[in-house]
Amino acid sequence: MSISLISKIVIFLLYIISFNSIAVSDTNLELERKIRGLLKHTQSHDFLRGYDRSQILMSELLEKVSKIDDEALILEVHYANLLLADSRTSVKDFLGSLKIVLALSEKLKNYKTHALAITIKGTFYQEKEDIIQEIASYKSAIEYANKHNLKNVISGNLNNLGGRYIYLGLYKQALKYYKEAIEIDSSPLVIRNIAMTYMLLGELDKAESILTTQERLNPHGLILLSSIYVKQKDIEKAKQQLSKIRRDFQPLSSANSAYSTLAEAKLHYSIQEYDVAVKLFEEGLSSNVYFSPSDKQKNLYLLSNSYYRLQNYPEAARTYNQWALLKNAIDENRIKQAMSLLLAEFNLEREVNKKENFEKDLLLANDKLASNEKIKELEIFVTFLSITITLLIAFLFYKQSRKNKLLNEFAHTDMLTKIKNRRSIILCLENSIKSLKSNDLLCVAMLDIDHFKRINDNFGHDVGDKVLCAFSLFVTTFLRKSDTFGRFGGEEFLIIFNNTNIEQSKAILERLVKELSDFEFPEVGSVTFSAGLAQYSNQDIKTLIIEADEKLYTAKNSGRNQIAA
């Protein structure tokens, strides 16, 4: 073979290799271009709340991005996947993308993305209602951001921590985090959060002072300031803040419009203009804006009470049922999350015990130390450790006292109807009897909803629960302030009539029977009750209740929907 022929073959082979390299390079560039286009499309769908479509596109993206080498683009895709995660996303899938993001962001020295990914981990666990992992993630993000001087990330996570403690009702702890945040970032959001926390703590003057010293408030700040003035009974100033929103921030966003409408509703509610309040509450709550469950249930309660004041009992019952179901769900969630925190603190207490044992070991080691200098250093260390343990124990004691207060509240409230439970109403009866003077009177009534089993059988237990809630609201709002009302069990209720003889008590109950007959319960229509009355005359509590119960059966055997005394 000649040298010329060999040269030609070599040149041909080099051409083929060069062509293939260019083709592979062009293929990669085309794939990366498609990935960037899909990524942009995914984010736009998420913005429009097209979650399912975004997830389909993201699955396609994750498959394509596994075939490229551009680490920055891989990081961008997996970070976008984290942003799309919510309660429907599996923990395994989320942590898989998180691992890739953390590794690549560290490798590429993209420290802000790294810190924000840890923050997103916190919000993901908030969706999963895992408060321990959520709070640990926020604290971890703060620790990482401190190392890299990422002030906005630190402030944002301090705000996240404050928000979670606000949700749990731990306002002082929330205030601590918000104050740390404002040292870094005095943004309107942080300022508003501090003012809101002071308002929740009942320190209205401080809350007002923080907001009124600001040069300019955004709509959220003005709405909060209006709420503070309403609580201070300064209606004119409250109206002025809402007028500023309508005057200075047009056109209003849908969220600002809805929240300002609800603030105006509360203003009219506070001055007993219930007809106006109802229209504004309904308008605000029917908007397409997202309200937190806590905000929604507070507004539903005021709406229900407004309907009741206007004697629109069907609407009062309907909105009360919505409020009761939502509040029950919120309370259950708060208890679960609070208990999770308490469990975490219990584990912390175990760590404290370990430290105490370590302290004892150190003290025993003093005898084995040959050097006085080492002994002195050890004593300093032990003192520091003792102070730390004392502070930790004090912290745990404080948390335990808060837990006891929370548990005491739940121990005395019927979780379905939100009125006093059997234990609480019996305790009230004991206290009322103890406080009686020689000429004081007291009567007890045992109430039972007629044919309640028939309601459960015909309409289901969910409707039966709604009837119990609506009946409890009706009776609570009907009774005098001096009367005490509680659920005795099942469909039985107990009323304590203080400073009232048996004739007066019976007259009150007969009026209640009449008014209830005009009330239509949702889904079931008219509901009646029977009651038995007994007057206290130095008998023990058990005997008094038995007498009322016997009278109740007399009323039922006589045809129901009546009072027996």
Side-chain angles (χ1 to χ4, degrees):
M1 188 180 291
S2 68
I3 294 174
S4 175
L5 181 59
I6 291 171
S7 298
K8 287 179 180 179
I9 292 171
V10 169
I11 291 169
F12 178 73
L13 290 172
L14 289 172
Y15 171 76
I16 294 296
I17 292 168
S18 173
F19 177 80
N20 285 337
S21 298
I22 292 168
V24 170
S25 176
D26 287 345
T27 301
N28 283 340
L29 286 173
E30 177 63 18
L31 182 57
E32 289 176 9
R33 186 186 66 78
K34 286 182 178 179
I35 288 171
R36 292 188 189 280
L38 279 172
L39 184 61
K40 185 176 181 181
H41 200 46
T42 302
Q43 292 165 341
S44 69
H45 271 278
D46 181 48
F47 180 75
L48 295 171
R49 298 296 186 267
Y51 176 86
D52 294 332
R53 176 59 180 156
S54 292
Q55 286 297 317
I56 293 169
L57 293 173
M58 181 53 70
S59 297
E60 186 179 347
L61 265 174
L62 292 172
E63 181 184 354
K64 291 182 182 298
V65 83
S66 65
K67 301 173 183 177
I68 66 170
D69 299 320
D70 186 337
E71 291 181 331
L73 185 54
I74 295 170
L75 172 62
E76 191 175 351
V77 169
H78 281 280
Y79 183 77
N81 191 35
L82 295 183
L83 290 172
L84 282 176
D86 69 0
S87 60
R88 293 168 286 187
T89 307
S90 74
V91 174
K92 181 180 177 182
D93 289 345
F94 178 85
L95 294 180
S97 276
L98 179 66
K99 183 178 179 180
I100 294 170
V101 170
L102 295 180
L104 287 177
S105 59
E106 195 69 22
K107 182 178 180 180
L108 299 173
K109 297 183 178 181
N110 191 339
Y111 302 127
K112 185 173 183 180
T113 297
H114 191 106
L116 289 174
I118 301 172
T119 304
I120 294 169
K121 180 183 176 185
T123 59
F124 172 72
Y125 277 114
Q126 181 183 346
E127 292 277 354
K128 292 291 186 182
E129 297 184 357
D130 187 340
I131 194 167
I132 302 302
Q133 290 286 355
E134 179 193 353
I135 288 178
S137 299
Y138 294 149
K139 289 182 177 179
S140 178
I142 291 170
E143 183 180 355
Y144 184 87
N146 267 316
K147 292 178 183 177
H148 299 283
N149 198 30
L150 302 170
K151 293 185 176 179
N152 287 341
V153 177
I154 297 169
S155 175
N157 279 283
L158 287 168
N159 263 300
N160 289 339
L161 286 169
R164 295 311 289 147
Y165 280 94
I166 285 287
Y167 174 77
L168 294 174
L170 303 173
Y171 302 138
K172 289 186 178 179
Q173 182 66 15
L175 185 61
K176 170 183 170 291
Y177 286 120
Y178 287 144
K179 284 184 174 179
E180 288 180 33
I182 207 167
E183 293 296 323
I184 301 167
D185 175 21
S186 58
S187 66
L189 174 63
V190 183
I191 292 167
R192 184 174 66 85
N193 284 340
I194 289 180
M196 176 191 67
T197 309
Y198 274 123
M199 183 182 76
L200 292 171
L201 287 167
E203 299 184 42
L204 299 178
D205 291 340
K206 280 187 180 179
E208 178 193 1
S209 175
I210 288 169
L211 294 174
T212 53
T213 52
Q214 299 305 305
E215 185 175 340
R216 178 179 170 83
L217 292 174
N218 61 21
H220 288 294
L222 290 169
I223 289 168
L224 179 59
L225 186 55
S226 173
S227 299
I228 292 167
Y229 284 136
V230 167
K231 287 180 177 293
Q232 293 175 330
K233 310 297 183 185
D234 195 335
I235 302 305
E236 285 306 313
K237 284 187 178 179
K239 287 180 178 179
Q240 289 171 14
Q241 309 317 308
L242 297 177
S243 296
K244 285 180 185 178
I245 297 173
R246 290 189 290 269
R247 185 188 67 211
D248 299 340
F249 294 95
Q250 294 298 332
L252 278 174
S253 69
S254 56
N256 286 334
S257 177
Y259 277 104
S260 61
T261 299
L262 292 176
E264 191 175 353
K266 291 173 186 174
L267 187 153
H268 286 284
Y269 178 88
S270 70
I271 55 177
Q272 300 179 9
E273 293 179 354
Y274 300 117
D275 53 341
V276 180
V278 160
K279 292 177 183 177
L280 293 170
F281 277 126
E282 290 284 12
E283 180 184 341
L285 290 170
S286 64
S287 66
N288 292 325
V289 173
Y290 171 79
F291 296 104
S292 71
S294 180
D295 283 341
K296 188 172 182 179
Q297 64 100 359
K298 289 174 185 175
N299 284 292
L300 279 171
Y301 178 80
L302 296 177
L303 174 59
S304 176
N305 207 29
S306 298
Y307 274 126
Y308 183 81
R309 300 290 183 179
L310 293 170
Q311 298 184 352
N312 188 341
Y313 300 126
E315 287 300 308
R318 177 184 66 82
T319 49
Y320 177 83
N321 287 334
Q322 292 176 2
W323 167 81
L325 291 171
L326 185 57
K327 187 175 188 302
N328 193 42
I330 292 170
D331 287 344
E332 286 180 1
N333 191 44
R334 278 180 175 160
I335 292 169
K336 183 175 73 174
Q337 297 199 16
M339 290 304 166
S340 296
L341 272 181
L342 288 169
L343 180 60
E345 288 162 5
F346 172 74
N347 291 331
L348 176 62
E349 187 175 8
R350 288 198 302 181
E351 291 301 316
V352 170
N353 291 333
K354 288 181 183 178
K355 288 185 178 181
E356 287 177 337
N357 292 332
F358 179 58
E359 180 184 0
K360 290 175 184 177
D361 292 340
L362 287 174
L363 289 171
L364 291 173
N366 281 340
D367 296 333
K368 299 178 182 180
L369 290 175
S371 168
N372 290 332
E373 185 63 27
K374 288 184 178 180
I375 293 173
K376 185 177 179 180
E377 289 174 359
L378 186 61
E379 287 173 347
I380 293 171
F381 176 73
V382 170
T383 301
F384 172 77
L385 191 60
S386 298
I387 293 170
T388 303
I389 292 169
T390 302
L391 291 174
L392 283 171
I393 292 172
F395 174 74
L396 290 171
F397 180 79
Y398 166 74
K399 287 295 184 181
Q400 184 65 33
S401 65
R402 287 197 62 86
K403 173 191 171 185
N404 291 339
K405 183 178 179 182
L406 183 66
L407 292 175
N408 183 61
E409 179 181 343
F410 285 112
H412 289 82
T413 303
D414 179 65
M415 292 307 296
L416 176 64
T417 61
K418 309 306 175 191
I419 62 175
K420 296 181 185 299
N421 61 16
R422 181 182 183 129
R423 177 183 177 184
S424 181
I425 193 69
I426 294 296
L427 185 62
C428 289
L429 181 56
E430 290 175 354
N431 292 333
S432 293
I433 290 173
K434 286 178 184 177
S435 63
L436 285 176
K437 296 178 182 178
S438 58
N439 295 322
D440 287 347
L441 299 171
L442 182 145
C443 288
V444 168
M446 184 71 76
L447 282 66
D448 185 275
I449 298 176
D450 295 330
H451 302 297
F452 185 76
K453 184 178 183 302
R454 190 182 300 169
I455 294 173
N456 279 335
D457 292 342
N458 293 340
F459 300 97
H461 288 278
D462 286 343
V463 173
D465 287 347
K466 290 179 183 179
V467 170
L468 290 172
C469 291
F471 180 79
S472 299
L473 174 64
F474 193 97
V475 176
T476 299
T477 50
F478 171 85
L479 292 174
R480 306 168 303 176
K481 289 183 179 180
S482 60
D483 303 327
T484 309
F485 179 53
R487 187 180 179 192
F488 197 72
E491 66 271 26
E492 288 189 335
F493 298 83
L494 193 72
I495 302 175
I496 304 168
F497 294 106
N498 293 295
N499 299 318
T500 311
N501 62 32
I502 199 162
E503 290 78 17
Q504 293 168 330
S505 301
K506 185 177 182 183
I508 293 169
L509 288 172
E510 286 173 345
R511 288 203 307 275
L512 177 58
V513 167
K514 185 178 183 303
E515 291 204 16
L516 189 68
S517 65
D518 297 329
F519 182 77
E520 287 290 311
F521 284 76
E523 300 183 54
V524 301
S526 179
V527 172
T528 62
F529 74 94
S530 303
L533 260 173
Q535 184 167 314
Y536 177 72
S537 56
N538 295 321
Q539 68 269 55
D540 59 47
I541 289 176
K542 184 178 180 180
T543 303
L544 179 63
I545 292 174
I546 289 173
E547 288 177 12
D549 201 46
E550 288 173 350
K551 294 295 184 181
L552 168 62
Y553 281 99
T554 299
K556 282 190 168 293
N557 293 331
S558 300
R560 294 185 171 85
N561 194 26
Q562 58 185 277
I563 315 301

